[in-house]
Every structure is written in structure tokens, then in C-alpha cells.
Amino acid sequence: MNAKRGALRAGIVGLGAMMLAACASSPGVDMSVPMKDGEWKGRSNADDQGAIGVITITVEGGDITSTSYETLQANGTDKDVDYGKSSSGEVFNEDYYEKAQRAVESFARYSQELTEKDDPAKVDVVSGATVAHRQFIQAAIRAISAAQGVDDSGANGVEIPGLEESTRIGDADLDKDLGGTDR
């Protein structure tokens, strides 16, 4: 009986924590602070391959009316339809390429959701695009902070995870072709 009671308590505590997290505002940005109209930019920290996310938001009437987001590889090129291919343009690992393209496709979705919801905490993560999501959120917090005229250091609380081992290709030359570094 005590084990059941302990499990019930743990479940209640876990449910309470989830409810609090769901009610919390965006990490690092207070969305109750008004935003000034204009075009505002933000950048993420680099991921473990040196890529950064760059966002531009347009604010009109205190609301985000458009969002543009891209991720630049360490060599400065956009992550686009060629992201996940070798420098010769070949798909050398179909799984890696599919994951890379899922991340690229997520950029438009993340942008649309931020424009619709006006809050980075309400932008849902796309399965397989976690690093892209975190970089998007971090860049969005910086752009929103600029629009609010407040310090953007709260964006540093959004951790940029490393790419999972399943997306690493294990070949330093090919990894370097994709903007990564020799390991």
C-alpha cells in the first residue's frame, strides 16, 4: 500500500510541475512588456558544428506581423535543400539527409507559429528538429528583447544541445563538408 501511495504522490508532484511549466512565460523574455514597432533581429549561439540561427521579426501595433528565420552553417552558407549533402552535392547518408531536411523545413513552421502566437514559448518543436528549435527560440528571444528595449541576456538560458550521435556521420572530412569541424 505504501508503494502505491508513494507512486501517487510522485505522479501528483510531476503533474503539478508540468502544469507550472505550461503556465510559465517564455524562458528569458517577459511577453507582458510591450514591443516597439519596427524590424528587429536576433541571433542564436552556435551549435556544436558552428551553425547559427538568424531571425528577423517585424512588429506592428505591438504584435509580431512577420518572421523570417534562417540558419547559417559555419562556412556562412544557408542551410537549404543541399544541407545534409556532401560538398559534391551527393546524398551519402539518407537518414542524415532526411534529418537535415526536416530541420530546414522546420524554419518556416517556427516562423509562422511565432508570427501567429506572438510568444516563443508557444512555438511547438518539430520532431527531429530540436537543435533548430532551440536556436530559433534563442534568436527570437534576442529579437523580442530588442523590440522591447530590454537586456537580451535571458536568451543565454536556452541551451543549444549537441547534435545526436545518430546524426553524426563519423567521417571528419564529410562532417567538415557540412560545416562541422574535425573531431
Side-chain angles (χ1 to χ4, degrees), residues 16-156:
M18 285 184 353
M19 290 172 65
L20 281 173
C23 295
S25 64
S26 292
V29 64
D30 179 356
M31 294 309 298
S32 68
V33 176
M35 293 182 282
K36 294 176 257 175
D37 290 355
E39 189 174 277
W40 308 94
K41 295 182 183 277
R43 295 170 65 107
S44 75
N45 294 346
D47 67 16
D48 63 350
Q49 291 190 352
I52 59 164
V54 180
I55 192 170
T56 302
I57 62 170
T58 302
V59 177
E60 294 174 5
D63 293 319
I64 298 171
T65 58
S66 72
T67 303
S68 172
Y69 180 74
E70 65 181 343
T71 300
L72 303 173
Q73 298 181 74
N75 65 7
T77 60
D78 289 338
K79 287 186 179 179
D80 58 14
V81 295
D82 291 325
Y83 179 59
K85 294 179 181 179
S86 69
S87 58
S88 63
E90 295 179 38
V91 175
F92 54 87
N93 179 319
E94 192 64 39
D95 288 338
Y96 184 91
Y97 181 72
E98 285 178 24
K99 288 178 183 182
Q101 288 304 299
R102 194 172 313 131
V104 170
E105 291 167 7
S106 74
F107 303 163
R109 180 172 165 188
Y110 293 155
S111 294
Q112 179 183 356
E113 284 191 32
L114 181 61
T115 301
E116 291 170 358
K117 298 176 180 180
D118 258 5
D119 186 342
K122 296 178 181 174
V123 174
D124 296 324
V125 66
V126 172
S127 178
T130 304
V131 174
H133 182 261
R134 295 283 183 86
Q135 285 186 299
F136 177 86
I137 298 301
Q138 193 175 61
I141 290 170
R142 289 189 172 127
I144 290 168
S145 295
Q148 294 172 331
V150 300
D151 178 29
D152 70 358
S153 62
N156 294 328

Side-chain angles (χ1 to χ4, degrees), residues 154-176:
N156 294 328
V158 178
E159 244 181 80
I160 307 300
L163 300 176
E164 294 180 32
E165 289 301 315
S166 64
T167 62
R168 295 183 196 273
I169 53 181
D171 182 323
D173 291 331
L174 290 175
D175 193 34
K176 195 170 186 178

